[in-house]
Amino acid sequence: MFDTLIIGGGAAGLSCALVLGSAKDKPFAVDKNVAIITHQKTSHLQNALFNNVLGLAPGTLGADILKNGKEQLYNLYPHVDQIDKEKVKRIQPIHDGFTITTNKNSYTAKQVVIAVGYTDLLTIKGLEDYVEPHPRAAIEKNRIWLKNENHVISHGLYVAGTLAGWRSQYAIACGSGAQVATDILTVWNDGKHTKIHDKV
């Protein structure tokens, strides 16, 4: 069983995985098993061009961020399992977490972070009761969100990025994923507010 399984390898999902991965040496996180399903085919980053993001060189391509982000996660935090070429079909609550079924396998996790795009084509069974029209998108675009309070859908079930109700802006999606990661670290740290920074 994973302690946390992240669904979605875009800006929010990769940011969440990087922050959780960076906590590996903390006593409260040393034994935690984290994984990310890095299915990226529908990520809005696939055709993005960035000129207005602090820290990114103008002309940076979203497709490069997706590729480099997976490599960064693997090189820095190889203990975070990357599950590639699988698409999540269903999430079911169980007594101590969730069962996540993909087109190829089944996994269990104590906590799940959903960080996929906000189109109305969401096909993950088990989330239907939480789907509502997106509060920060033009109505004609038919965008959705998973109703949540501070990224929490229900106990142990989190949502990050545009699907959490945020606007489709790269820095916002990254920040949302990092927020969820620090919330999970806080849970692991017995409720003590937790953030992780590397220092020179």
Side-chain angles (χ1 to χ4, degrees), residues 5-196:
L5 177 62
I6 303 159
I7 300 169
L14 286 171
S15 292
C16 186
L18 285 164
V19 172
L20 289 176
S22 69
K24 70 182 183 309
D25 294 329
K26 300 293 182 185
F28 58 82
V30 71
D31 62 344
K32 301 297 185 192
N33 295 319
V34 177
I36 179 171
I37 297 177
T38 57
H39 186 75
Q40 299 175 322
K41 290 192 188 268
T42 59
S43 173
H44 285 98
L45 289 181
Q46 291 288 3
N47 58 5
L49 168 68
F50 294 106
N51 293 318
N52 65 347
V53 179
L54 180 66
L56 292 183
T60 296
L61 299 177
D64 291 335
I65 290 173
L66 290 172
K67 178 180 173 286
N68 296 339
K70 286 169 66 173
E71 290 173 1
Q72 178 183 359
L73 179 62
Y74 178 78
N75 290 331
L76 290 174
Y77 311 117
H79 60 283
V80 175
D81 290 326
Q82 291 190 47
I83 302 167
D84 199 15
K85 297 184 177 154
E86 294 189 33
K87 187 170 183 180
V88 174
K89 298 297 205 178
R90 175 180 296 277
I91 298 173
Q92 286 180 282
I94 55 176
H95 69 283
D96 58 349
F98 301 88
T99 297
I100 301 89
T101 306
T102 74
N103 58 327
K104 296 181 181 178
N105 291 297
S106 182
Y107 305 96
T108 56
K110 294 177 184 172
Q111 299 165 316
V112 174
V113 180
I114 304 162
V116 298
Y118 68 153
T119 70
D120 63 350
L121 300 175
L122 181 73
T123 58
I124 301 173
K125 301 288 184 205
L127 300 177
E128 301 89 348
D129 291 345
Y130 308 111
V131 175
E132 292 188 356
H134 197 284
R136 293 182 179 94
I139 193 140
E140 62 272 11
K141 295 206 176 225
N142 292 324
R143 302 298 190 212
I144 62 167
W145 77 313
L146 297 181
K147 189 173 182 185
N148 67 89
E149 188 169 327
N150 296 324
H151 295 100
V152 177
I153 298 170
S154 64
H155 180 73
L157 186 60
Y158 297 81
V159 61
T162 53
L163 196 60
W166 301 111
R167 289 188 180 89
S168 181
Q169 197 76 25
Y170 176 72
I172 295 172
C174 287
S176 176
Q179 175 70 48
V180 170
T182 58
D183 288 346
I184 290 169
L185 292 174
T186 297
V187 169
W188 290 351
N189 197 16
D190 294 325
K192 296 176 188 143
H193 288 289
T194 304
K195 60 186 190 250
I196 303 294

